[in-house]
Amino acid sequence: MKGKVGIIANPQSGKDIRRLTSKASVFDNEEKVNIIERILSVFNFFNIEEIYYMEDAYGIVKKAASRIKASNLKIIPIEMNYTFDEVDSTNASKIMQNIVDIILVLGGDGTNRAVVKGLNMEDPVPLAPISTGTNNVFPEMIEGTTVALAIISYLTSIEKEKNLRREKLLNIKFNNNSDIALIDFAISKEQFIGSKAIWNEKSIIAVFVTRAEVTSIGFSSLVAFKNPIHRDDPFGGYVILGEGEEVIFPIAPGKLAKTSIKEKGIIKENNPIKMFVERGTIVLDGERKIELFKDTEVEISLLLNGPKVLNFRKAIAEGIKNGIFSNKQS
């Protein structure tokens, strides 16, 4: 079958400090190997043309590939300078952008954010994100076999764009620098990155989101419990914390938090919001990423045409309709 697939699997997702501060489950690397093995088995059945993958310190894809019996897969590691941190995900996606038809991402919101940073937003290669982290909103918790079948359906589709959805993202500018967030951007009074993950609601000054579902966990749910914002809404939202109405929200698995909201609102494309921030940290998709050591103006913008993501259910439905599961493809 014609088609080239990229795989970016993060061995660090699902292991942060929230396993100690809440009831979050641990997602070990051996289970990630198992997921990739199941995906590769489906790809092998349908004779996928080529698979490119990002190497990692645990060897997730390499180990999974070694377990596939009678494999005809052509599995190729991406050649680049590896640092074995999140920069690898960005660099790998930058390379894959030009050589694959779709990238399968195994990780959490943070992993997907790193991957998206490497894409060309003018025409980004689509993503098929599987959740393996904590408090995830962007990737879906779904069986790898199903994802593999959706990818097969996508690769054989005549009208591929119909199986994709365009996600929103936030663009953040500060001190002549910029960064992005896929789900939420927050400003924390914590002065150092430390363990990265945020679990102290008292440190948060403001939260901006692309979407805020009441079924989500984390700081996006703080917005949801005051003003739900759905995936397809053509706007995002925000809350400014301070003296005001109290709200209780699920900050982490099994852990509720209470805080007060001074102001809430929506953020529209082409209408950036500016804030002056004292010393603190910028939190991107649930992790402290950037330290601010002086008063800083931060500009937050919403982009509606962000990354393309495969609609798993829609793709499989089209594949069934087109009969690709009636006879083995070659």
Side-chain angles (χ1 to χ4, degrees), residues 173-176 187 275-280 282 291-299:
K173 295 181 180 179
F174 56 96
N175 293 335
N176 296 318
I187 300 169
M275 288 189 67
F276 285 94
V277 183
E278 297 180 359
R279 291 186 55 165
I282 286 177
E291 296 172 346
L292 301 176
F293 298 109
K294 60 181 181 180
D295 291 359
T296 303
E297 183 182 73
V298 180
E299 181 181 286

Side-chain angles (χ1 to χ4, degrees), residues 6-65:
I7 299 178
I8 296 176
N10 180 12
Q12 298 303 319
S13 64
K15 297 179 180 179
D16 63 45
I17 195 170
R18 282 167 287 194
R19 273 84 196 154
L20 301 176
T21 61
S22 71
K23 305 299 182 182
S25 59
V26 176
F27 210 109
D28 66 41
N29 286 333
E30 195 55 33
E31 180 55 26
K32 295 171 189 175
V33 175
N34 292 337
I35 292 171
I36 296 298
E37 180 184 356
R38 297 196 292 270
I39 290 168
L40 292 180
S41 294
V42 176
F43 289 168
N44 189 47
F45 181 89
F46 283 92
N47 296 313
I48 288 290
E49 183 180 4
E50 290 177 347
I51 297 170
Y52 294 83
Y53 72 94
M54 180 191 78
E55 296 189 85
D56 67 87
Y58 191 78
I60 294 172
V61 178
K62 189 174 182 179
K63 288 181 180 180

Side-chain angles (χ1 to χ4, degrees), residues 76-91:
I76 307 162
I78 291 292
E79 293 186 6
M80 64 182 196
N81 294 322
Y82 284 91
T83 59
F84 298 107
D85 59 22
E86 72 171 36
V87 175
D88 286 349
S89 297
T90 302
N91 291 336

